[in-house]
Amino acid sequence: MLRLSQRVNGRLSFWQVFMIAGIAGLFMMLVLAPQALWHTAIFVVESLLSVAPLVIPGIVLAAWITASGASSHVAKAFTGRVVYSVVAASLIGAITPVCGVTVLPLMAGLLAAGVPLAPIMAFWLSSPITDPAMLAATAATLGLTFAIGKTAASVGLGLFGGLLTATQSNKSWYRAPLRQNGVVDQIARPCTTDCQVTEFRAAVWRDADRRRAFIKETRSIGRLILICLIPAFAAEYWLNASLQPQALTTYIGDDSWWAVPLAVFVGAPAYLDGYAALPLVRGLMDHGMSSSAAMAFLISGGVISIWGAVAIFPVLQLKPFIAYVGLAFTGSLIAGWTFGALA
């Protein structure tokens, strides 16, 4: 059974505090607003069903990578000289057609295996922004120029974040970025008990140990995703209920010096889903939102939104997580201003 938390030095861990706060919040909602709780639950279930076609293949892929031994080959792209590994990680992140939550076990496993934080940071910053399907959807909704600019910004953000992170290689948080909790113990320890993978075998179903490892990883990753997504979708419901998209036009509708910063700091929390954000941005641009603010909104939303950040926070310690958020904010500002100047 997956342990969500553990006591460290006799104190409550983050996961224990998180669970206690969640249970207390549910109890208060049940007492004070039972109808709102019911609507929230319905929204969460519907949202989980809507993302299932995207998330389930990612779960299967992540479990297969572990059970087949492909993780050792993937790790090669993240090792070696820092500059080359950061470039490779940024490019892989931009074309990976799975969300940040489903690749979380692989990235955490690579960190646990000693892969440097810099290429992992590059991957985490570039991967939530785009992929081939998102490129096509963006081109269809906002135009080819915007789609190409968003893809370039994805790679650029990965390079920017990864190379800056590499300059902190002498810091203790760089060398040991993972949290010490039950979640990390489960997802960052690939195939250590059921299957000692020494070589790559794609047909995992032909080997009993690899089948067992695949099933175990599928369950662990699926459980982790539910832990992450249920509160994220609940927060999304309340954000939708309290903030109407038209309200953003007042703040980021004019092509002024504060449009891009406000698109990052005000717009990013309203970014709920990559595909859903595209028509939202098109509507805002029809009402006067600048192209630079629109780009900053989409870039920052992908990596700082609840969907993006929730995939990182459970496994990273506070300092590297703050570094992740800071790099995402700064890179999003640069991407917005650069696109506005070039477009």
Side-chain angles (χ1 to χ4, degrees), residues 220-271:
S220 297
I221 297 169
R223 193 178 292 116
L224 171 66
I225 290 175
L226 289 177
I227 293 170
C228 293
L229 293 189
I230 288 175
F233 283 134
E236 176 182 338
Y237 173 82
W238 286 98
L239 184 61
N240 274 331
S242 60
L243 178 63
Q244 296 298 319
Q246 294 79 4
L248 298 175
T249 308
T250 305
Y251 304 101
I252 57 180
D254 297 326
D255 192 4
S256 55
W257 69 266
W258 63 77
V260 170
L262 281 178
V264 174
F265 288 96
V266 178
Y271 183 102

Side-chain angles (χ1 to χ4, degrees), residues 52-227:
L54 295 174
V55 172
I56 291 177
I59 295 174
V60 174
L61 175 61
W64 174 84
I65 288 174
T66 295
S68 67
S71 56
S72 61
H73 296 272
V74 175
K76 293 179 181 178
F78 293 82
T79 56
R81 298 180 62 179
V82 174
V83 174
Y84 294 144
S85 64
V86 167
V87 171
S90 301
L91 293 173
I92 293 172
I95 63 174
T96 301
V98 291
C99 67
V101 181
T102 53
V103 298
L104 177 62
L106 175 60
M107 296 299 105
L110 294 179
L111 285 175
V115 173
L117 178 61
I120 302 299
M121 184 71 77
F123 180 89
W124 266 331
L125 287 169
S126 64
S127 63
I129 299 171
T130 191
D131 56 53
M134 180 61 70
L135 174 65
T138 304
T141 307
L142 301 175
L144 183 60
T145 300
F146 206 99
I148 294 174
K150 186 182 178 187
T151 302
S154 172
V155 177
L157 181 57
L159 294 173
F160 169 76
L163 294 176
L164 278 184
T165 302
T167 65
Q168 305 299 307
S169 59
N170 61 331
K171 304 292 186 180
S172 59
W173 59 264
Y174 179 96
R175 296 190 296 269
L178 290 175
R179 292 180 182 271
Q180 300 297 319
N181 57 32
V183 173
V184 173
D185 288 344
Q186 288 290 329
I187 67 175
R189 190 179 58 226
C191 216
T192 56
T193 56
D194 293 327
C195 172
Q196 296 295 331
V197 175
T198 57
E199 60 180 344
F200 172 72
R201 291 184 184 176
V204 298
W205 59 89
R206 295 180 178 176
D207 184 282
D209 288 339
R210 292 175 189 265
R211 286 199 304 270
R212 187 160 49 248
F214 177 83
I215 294 172
K216 179 180 178 181
E217 287 297 308
T218 301
R219 289 175 177 172
S220 297
I221 297 169
R223 193 178 292 116
L224 171 66
I225 290 175
L226 289 177
I227 293 170

